[in-house]
Amino acid sequence: MMMKKGVLGRARGANPNATRRSSGRRAVSVRAASPSSSPASSATEAQSSSTRYIAMNRFQVQERDGAAAAFEKKWALRPSRLATMDGFRWFSLFRKVAEDGSGPVLPTSGEEFNYTSMTVWENKDNFTVWREGDAFKEAHGGGTFKGVLDMLVSSARTLKGKPKAKMFAAQSTVSTPVDPADLPSSPGGWREVEADGVNILDPECFMIMEEAASGSEDLAAFEAALEQAAEAPGFKFGTVLVPDSKKDGDSKVSLVQVWDSKSAFEAADAAKAPGSAANYFEGTLVLTTQKGA
């Protein structure tokens, strides 16, 4: 079944040579929230709209066979206690997919990433404490020369160029809380998954991201679409991203919606409105709290 238009647009064209191997996935053990166990399935049950601070690190993973799986393995096995940090709300590693769900796809001309991490914090101060503390160093080479060197060598084998960080002040955030029985297991603050570096990890959520110029009428349309999406089964959270820095003339805002799955997104009436271009992503290594994002 073909995917419906996004809340504000269609997906950009995917690389026609990028295909998904039906057997090339590695299972990840995580419960999926069911309608009966989810404590919120409508806007009236969702958490009230609020602000967040979101950090994204964007990567170009190489085209060669095995690079994507090796990159995901590096993330799966990294030492991290992210979920134990004050103010942490939600995390996933996302890989870009085509409109029909195939992928991972390669960046098209002018685009700079096909993978991105996303960490949701309650506020910028929480992010800053993590960024400047020991937990950040532990997850990025341990702060030792050998650890940093190993990280650089590993990156050179899987990435094209350096990762690019982008920070957002998130507004109009709507999130559904998570039943304790549906929380992903994260002993020590990070997921324990089996990653062999050969098969990509199974998807655990689905994200659509759409952009528009800040200050335009699209912003109001974004927020209205977000309220509509929050009423649909399978909705996890959504937010309007405003760049925290206006460097290089970057003033575009983005609407992000995260769903249990692509099928949940496809079934949502909120996904029918026309608008600007959209990008689609599968998320894995999900971490969250009982509050949700």
Side-chain angles (χ1 to χ4, degrees):
M1 176 172 60
M2 290 299 294
M3 185 176 297
K4 300 173 184 177
K5 293 181 182 179
V7 168
L8 289 172
R10 292 182 182 273
R12 298 188 180 100
N15 185 330
N17 297 319
T19 58
R20 183 187 307 280
R21 294 172 295 167
S22 60
S23 61
R25 292 184 175 278
R26 195 71 182 176
V28 178
S29 176
V30 57
R31 292 187 182 94
S34 64
S36 60
S37 64
S38 175
S41 59
S42 70
T44 57
E45 295 173 300
Q47 291 183 9
S48 58
S49 297
S50 55
T51 58
R52 298 283 187 272
Y53 194 78
I54 293 182
M56 300 181 74
N57 218 6
R58 302 179 174 196
F59 308 87
Q60 269 201 40
V61 174
Q62 297 173 8
E63 296 93 336
R64 67 174 181 82
D65 288 345
F71 177 72
E72 292 181 11
K73 178 182 179 180
K74 182 179 75 171
W75 273 86
L77 300 183
R78 70 189 305 179
S80 179
R81 45 189 169 99
L82 180 64
T84 68
M85 301 299 296
D86 288 343
F88 168 80
R89 298 297 293 260
W90 199 88
F91 170 86
S92 183
L93 176 66
F94 286 101
R95 54 180 174 249
K96 190 174 181 181
V97 296
E99 185 176 9
D100 63 1
S102 62
V105 302
L106 304 177
T108 56
S109 177
E111 294 180 322
E112 61 182 21
F113 69 99
N114 55 352
Y115 272 80
T116 183
S117 62
M118 174 189 281
T119 310
V120 181
W121 298 90
E122 289 189 0
N123 55 58
K124 187 174 182 177
D125 288 343
N126 295 140
F127 164 77
T128 301
V129 169
W130 172 79
R131 177 64 180 82
E132 297 178 352
D134 291 340
F136 179 87
K137 295 177 182 178
E138 292 167 6
H140 296 79
T144 66
F145 177 78
K146 182 180 184 302
V148 172
L149 181 61
D150 289 344
M151 183 179 66
L152 292 174
V153 170
S154 177
S155 296
R157 291 172 178 169
T158 57
L159 300 180
K160 295 172 63 176
K162 297 180 180 179
K164 297 182 179 180
K166 194 168 184 178
M167 311 304 166
F168 300 90
Q171 63 188 45
S172 302
T173 305
V174 178
S175 175
T176 56
V178 181
D179 189 283
D182 296 318
L183 285 173
S185 176
S186 54
W190 192 246
R191 295 286 300 281
E192 290 186 349
V193 304
E194 186 179 355
D196 58 14
V198 176
N199 302 292
I200 60 174
L201 300 173
D202 275 352
E204 301 172 19
C205 62
F206 184 78
M207 177 173 74
I208 174 173
M209 179 182 291
E210 301 165 284
E211 294 184 343
S214 62
S216 73
E217 294 180 357
D218 281 344
L219 181 56
F222 275 3
E223 293 174 336
L226 188 57
E227 291 180 6
Q228 185 180 5
E231 298 178 1
F235 177 83
K236 286 184 176 292
F237 77 91
T239 191
V240 177
L241 301 183
V242 180
D244 191 37
S245 172
K246 299 300 189 294
K247 292 181 179 178
D248 303 320
D250 186 1
S251 60
K252 290 184 177 180
V253 298
S254 299
L255 173 67
V256 166
Q257 298 177 64
V258 178
W259 298 76
D260 283 343
S261 64
K262 182 170 80 75
S263 60
F265 167 73
E266 289 175 330
D269 290 340
K272 294 179 180 177
S276 59
N279 289 304
Y280 301 97
F281 300 84
E282 290 178 336
T284 190
L285 297 176
V286 171
L287 282 169
T288 188
T289 66
Q290 192 172 346
K291 295 179 181 179

